[in-house]
Amino acid sequence: MCSASRGADRAPRLVHPRLRWDSAADSVHRAGCPVTRVNSRVSCGFAPLRSGLVFDDHWLLLPPTVTDDPLGTPRAFRTRTNLWRDEPAVDPVLRGLAHNPAAPTDVLLGLLGAHGDALSDAFNRRADLPPVVVEAMLRHPSARVRAALAVNRYVDSAIRLRLVDDPDPRVVGALRADPDLALPDRVFTPEFDRLVRQFQRTLTTADELHCELIELMSKDRRSVPVAARHPEPRVRTAAVDRLGLLNEVKRDEVTQALLHDPVPEVRAAAVRYDVGLTRVHEPADLLSCNGYAYRGLLRERRLSRPLIAHVLAVDANDGGGGVSAMAGNRTLPTDVLDTLFEHPSSDARCSLAERDDLSRAQLTRLAADPDVAVRTAVSVHPRLTEDERAAIDIDVTTSREHRPFGPVEFSNRRDEHPWMRASTLPPLEQSVRWASSVNILLRRRAAADPRLPADLVETLAQDTDLGVRVLLAQHHPAAPSALLLRSFREYDGHGRARLLAMPNFPTTDLARLADDPDPAVRRLAARDPLAAPDLVERLAHDPDPGVRRAMAACPRLPVPLIVMLLDDPDLAEPAAANAALPVDTMRQRLAVAV
């Protein structure tokens, strides 16, 4: 499969972000459309990939409101949960104080005590919560506040796990929102128990119970082993249908437990699943599945010739994705596989290109395919030589790693790019080979590997492809300062703000950018510790609201102006978040707040 997409997150304080590495962090972001020339063809597009940095430089990194650019918002600032649709109104000054990195403990406790419900979102983003504030949040009467602590990844997981027995299920749900948190069984068991009670009271049928259980497990794969250990046999039976969500090792472990279950019905379901992995499937097996299950069966299971003929007949144009799925099936008969090289669906031929068992003749055939998407897909095949890759005319915008998604141009679903998950990075030697490839997509894969040695970092930092440079800037902890600033200025796609979170992003000599035509670049002046106060004051009147908000939060803004802006309806919040705001003023505004 073709390469790349990923994201990054992290940062902290206003001017000098305090950085920490978080290998579990992840995010979803999209890319702009940089132009690249490939074999005399103009191509464009790449999506930033994953990184492990998280940050909270709130006023500099965010647009005026998170909703203005939800997909480009760093993970630390996206709403972690959707447990409450309403949000109590609050004075914007108080909201700013809750974000202020210089707010003393007594101010934070005062905000929590009197306005915790309305300010909980600020506390779920702070990286510097004092221990006494954390304890206050743990004991807070508001479930919103406790949920804010539950989703704050800066807080030690052992502390957050003290909320697993919280009486409000929304708080426990907030814990479940962190996919990397190791949760005990009792976090998931109450939901299974609730569904079982409904069935026992005849409020649902057996089929409805089964479907509800499957839907519940589909939301969180960590719940599948819990269901397999549940005392109710019907829950354990339902777990069989979600075994596919687990990785191979865990799936085998849970399957073995279910195969030895004391209840015959559970054992029978597990046997059917186990046998189904190896038996030959017939057309009748398609009647019980659709969508993902339909394509999964065609991609992964042994197929009879009548079933193959059925799919080729009813899904001749591959509208349902059946032929594309089948093209990746390793058990497909050779003669059937050969016919798919002539299939009219380019998606089906792209699926063929992803097979790792292609012969030299088959690779040559795909490399000369009339559809550029197919040629691009096969151009990253591991069996090709660099000379063979160079001879293929490709267009990176057709790669499957750049799929349209909503209003943005490209998506980067993590599950489409397993080699870039932190837990499944490729062997370093493979990334090293990719780094010197003539193929842009392979170099982009290499650029997203944070383990690359210094010499390759230096080489890729000068790559002719903007995608390679930006991916390196977003992912490598040793990305040079010059590269980070250059990437920020040249790249304006979603996830751009994550470049600011990298350890080497410069803070000095940014005041010179105060007159840049790009508002996002002008905002960088707020990070420069040597920016003159009169310059910051001038930018506080910039025509762009984002620039004005960044300057209102800049500590080099004259203190009298910071205090004056507390009464400005548009800039009160970032002004209150300004670390230079006098502590006495913080306490006074908190005391008079209604």
Side-chain angles (χ1 to χ4, degrees):
M1 172 172 172
C2 315
S3 81
S5 339
R6 214 141 306 167
D9 333 32
R10 158 51 325 203
R13 299 288 181 111
L14 203 50
V15 180
H16 301 290
R18 293 182 302 113
L19 296 168
R20 71 181 175 85
W21 186 258
D22 179 1
S23 62
D26 72 280
S27 64
V28 176
H29 39 284
R30 311 291 183 252
C33 192
V35 174
T36 306
R37 184 167 296 276
V38 183
N39 288 355
S40 302
R41 296 182 60 88
V42 173
S43 307
C44 67
F46 75 96
L49 308 188
R50 175 175 180 172
S51 121
L53 290 173
V54 288
F55 57 97
D56 59 2
D57 194 348
H58 188 62
W59 302 112
L60 183 57
L61 304 191
L62 286 187
T65 63
V66 171
T67 54
D68 286 352
D69 187 15
L71 294 177
T73 300
R75 178 173 186 166
F77 292 106
R78 293 202 313 274
T79 301
R80 301 292 183 88
T81 61
N82 188 26
L83 305 178
W84 292 271
R85 294 187 179 277
D86 63 317
E87 182 174 307
V90 68
D91 184 339
V93 170
L94 299 182
R95 187 173 296 280
L97 290 178
H99 286 288
N100 195 313
T105 299
D106 63 294
V107 170
L108 295 178
L109 289 174
L111 291 168
L112 271 178
H115 309 280
D117 246 14
L119 300 174
S120 58
D121 64 322
F123 285 89
N124 73 24
R125 299 164 183 165
R126 290 192 68 112
D128 56 353
L129 289 173
V132 65
V133 174
V134 171
E135 286 298 323
M137 294 179 71
L138 281 169
R139 301 190 304 270
H140 203 280
S142 169
R144 290 177 190 265
V145 173
R146 301 196 303 276
L149 183 67
V151 298
N152 190 325
R153 289 192 171 213
Y154 296 109
V155 176
D156 186 88
S157 59
I159 295 175
R160 294 158 61 202
L161 286 173
R162 290 166 59 184
L163 294 167
V164 295
D165 297 313
D166 194 278
D168 194 309
R170 294 172 297 183
V171 176
V172 181
L175 283 174
R176 290 200 301 267
D178 183 347
D180 303 308
L181 196 60
L183 299 173
D185 285 12
R186 64 182 185 277
V187 171
F188 303 101
T189 302
E191 284 297 302
F192 292 132
D193 293 343
R194 177 181 61 82
L195 294 176
V196 170
R197 286 195 301 270
Q198 290 179 350
F199 170 72
Q200 292 171 340
R201 295 166 57 194
T202 69
L203 297 176
T204 57
T205 65
D207 286 342
E208 289 170 339
L209 171 63
H210 191 82
C211 291
E212 291 276 4
L213 290 168
I214 287 177
E215 181 179 358
L216 184 59
M217 286 183 278
S218 298
K219 295 176 181 177
D220 194 325
R221 68 185 64 193
R222 291 171 297 183
S223 66
V224 178
V226 180
R229 294 189 291 268
H230 196 276
E232 168 57 48
R234 293 182 185 274
V235 177
R236 301 200 298 277
T237 301
V240 172
D241 288 339
R242 295 292 85 184
L243 289 173
L245 296 175
L246 306 176
N247 62 47
E248 185 175 354
V249 174
K250 193 65 177 178
R251 182 173 63 244
D252 289 346
E253 175 188 325
V254 176
T255 300
Q256 287 303 311
L258 293 171
L259 286 171
H260 294 85
D261 195 276
V263 177
E265 291 79 6
V266 177
R267 290 200 304 274
V271 167
R272 287 194 299 271
Y273 172 83
D274 198 42
V275 171
L277 295 176
T278 56
R279 76 174 177 86
V280 176
H281 288 71
E282 302 293 342
D285 292 307
L286 297 178
L287 298 177
S288 61
C289 61
N290 54 48
Y292 292 119
Y294 167 73
R295 292 187 291 274
L297 185 150
L298 295 177
R299 184 183 302 110
E300 300 166 4
R301 304 301 174 85
R302 298 176 64 86
L303 312 177
S304 69
R305 286 191 176 269
L307 187 152
I308 294 171
H310 172 79
V311 172
L312 292 173
V314 302
D315 198 9
N317 296 322
D318 198 30
V323 179
S324 294
M326 199 164 58
N329 193 312
R330 297 294 300 271
T331 68
L332 210 61
T334 303
D335 59 309
V336 175
L337 184 65
D338 288 341
T339 64
L340 294 183
F341 283 88
E342 298 295 336
H343 197 277
S345 168
S346 61
D347 284 342
R349 302 198 303 279
C350 282
S351 291
L352 289 173
E354 296 171 5
R355 297 178 65 105
D356 59 8
D357 59 348
L358 297 177
S359 67
R360 302 298 305 176
Q362 290 168 334
L363 285 170
T364 301
R365 190 172 185 176
L366 291 172
D369 193 281
D371 193 298
V372 67
V374 179
R375 300 196 301 271
T376 302
V378 78
S379 72
V380 298
H381 198 281
R383 297 191 63 189
L384 291 176
T385 66
E386 286 300 297
D387 288 341
E388 289 169 333
R389 290 190 215 284
I392 302 175
D393 184 21
I394 69 172
D395 180 348
V396 295
T397 63
T398 65
S399 170
R400 287 191 179 187
E401 61 215 52
H402 303 302
R403 296 179 178 176
F405 184 83
V408 297
E409 188 163 1
F410 304 118
S411 75
N412 76 322
R413 288 179 50 198
R414 265 196 313 164
D415 56 359
E416 292 176 356
H417 311 287
W419 56 83
M420 287 309 179
R421 294 180 186 172
S423 60
T424 56
L425 280 169
L428 180 57
E429 56 270 22
Q430 189 171 47
S431 290
V432 169
R433 287 196 303 272
W434 287 342
S436 59
S437 175
V438 297
N439 186 279
I440 289 176
L441 295 173
L442 291 181
R443 296 204 306 278
R444 289 179 181 178
R445 291 186 187 182
D449 192 329
R451 305 164 301 173
L452 286 180
D455 59 330
L456 290 181
V457 171
E458 182 178 352
T459 299
L460 293 180
Q462 304 300 321
D463 198 278
T464 57
D465 177 58
L466 176 61
V468 172
R469 297 196 303 272
V470 172
L471 289 171
L472 180 71
Q474 288 183 320
H475 293 87
H476 205 287
S481 296
L483 171 67
L484 292 166
L485 182 58
R486 178 188 179 186
S487 298
F488 188 85
R489 299 190 70 179
E490 294 179 348
Y491 168 68
D492 62 358
H494 290 278
R496 179 190 196 186
R498 291 165 180 78
L499 293 167
L500 301 174
M502 299 305 289
N504 294 331
F505 196 95
T507 56
T508 58
D509 199 29
L510 296 179
R512 63 185 173 85
L513 305 174
D515 296 311
D516 194 278
D518 183 350
V521 176
R522 295 201 298 277
R523 290 201 299 268
L524 294 179
R527 295 171 64 97
D528 192 336
L530 301 179
D534 58 341
L535 173 65
V536 177
E537 184 172 355
R538 173 169 69 83
L539 290 176
H541 300 281
D542 192 273
D544 181 80
V547 175
R548 296 197 300 272
R549 290 167 67 86
M551 299 308 146
C554 178
R556 281 160 303 288
L557 190 67
V559 172
L561 183 54
I562 298 173
V563 175
M564 184 180 72
L565 291 179
L566 294 178
D567 297 313
D568 184 307
D570 296 323
L571 300 179
E573 188 174 346
N578 196 315
L581 183 68
V583 172
D584 287 344
T585 302
M586 297 184 197
R587 293 181 175 127
Q588 291 167 8
R589 296 304 290 247
L590 175 59
V592 301
V594 178

